[in-house]
Amino acid sequence: MEILMLKKDNLRFGMLLGFIAPLISLVVYYFVKFYPLHSVSDFFTFVARNKGQITAISVPCLILNIALFTFYINTHRDKTAKGIFAITLIYAIAALLLKFVL
């Protein structure tokens, strides 16, 4: 059943995947780099104080979206790929804005 879900060709499904994948990547990044020495609030405080870390964190988060986008393009599920791409652009623009506005 779960594998059939990944075979959908739907714009909303692509947007959902594009939204969730970077969040999963962010959680993995936190556990690899900061856990158990630092709390989640310490992690976000560190990022807010060190603007260069925004790029260092956003790139691995967006790489997962790039992999998903490539998979869905290569399997000719263009609507899903469009959704992933749209959310990836939003994440990238948000990361740039955070870096230069904070």
Side-chain angles (χ1 to χ4, degrees):
M1 183 87 161
E2 293 172 7
I3 294 173
L4 293 176
M5 179 80 165
L6 294 176
K7 292 185 177 186
K8 285 178 88 170
D9 189 20
N10 183 305
L11 182 67
R12 287 184 181 171
F13 178 63
M15 293 174 79
L16 179 67
L17 281 177
F19 180 77
I20 291 173
L23 295 178
I24 292 170
S25 183
L26 181 66
V27 170
V28 169
Y29 184 86
Y30 166 75
F31 279 106
V32 169
K33 294 284 188 175
F34 288 88
Y35 187 81
L37 300 175
H38 303 284
S39 68
V40 175
S41 62
D42 291 341
F43 170 66
F44 285 114
T45 301
F46 173 76
V47 172
R49 290 185 181 157
N50 300 296
K51 292 181 185 180
Q53 291 301 310
I54 294 172
T55 305
I57 293 169
S58 63
V59 168
C61 290
L62 295 177
I63 286 176
L64 188 54
N65 269 10
I66 293 167
L68 283 171
F69 175 77
T70 303
F71 172 77
Y72 280 99
I73 284 292
N74 289 340
T75 56
H76 305 290
R77 295 183 188 104
D78 296 333
K79 292 176 188 174
T80 303
K82 285 179 188 178
I84 294 168
F85 183 74
I87 298 299
T88 302
L89 284 178
I90 292 169
Y91 267 115
I93 291 168
L96 285 173
L97 288 175
L98 281 174
K99 184 173 181 171
F100 293 114
V101 172
L102 280 180

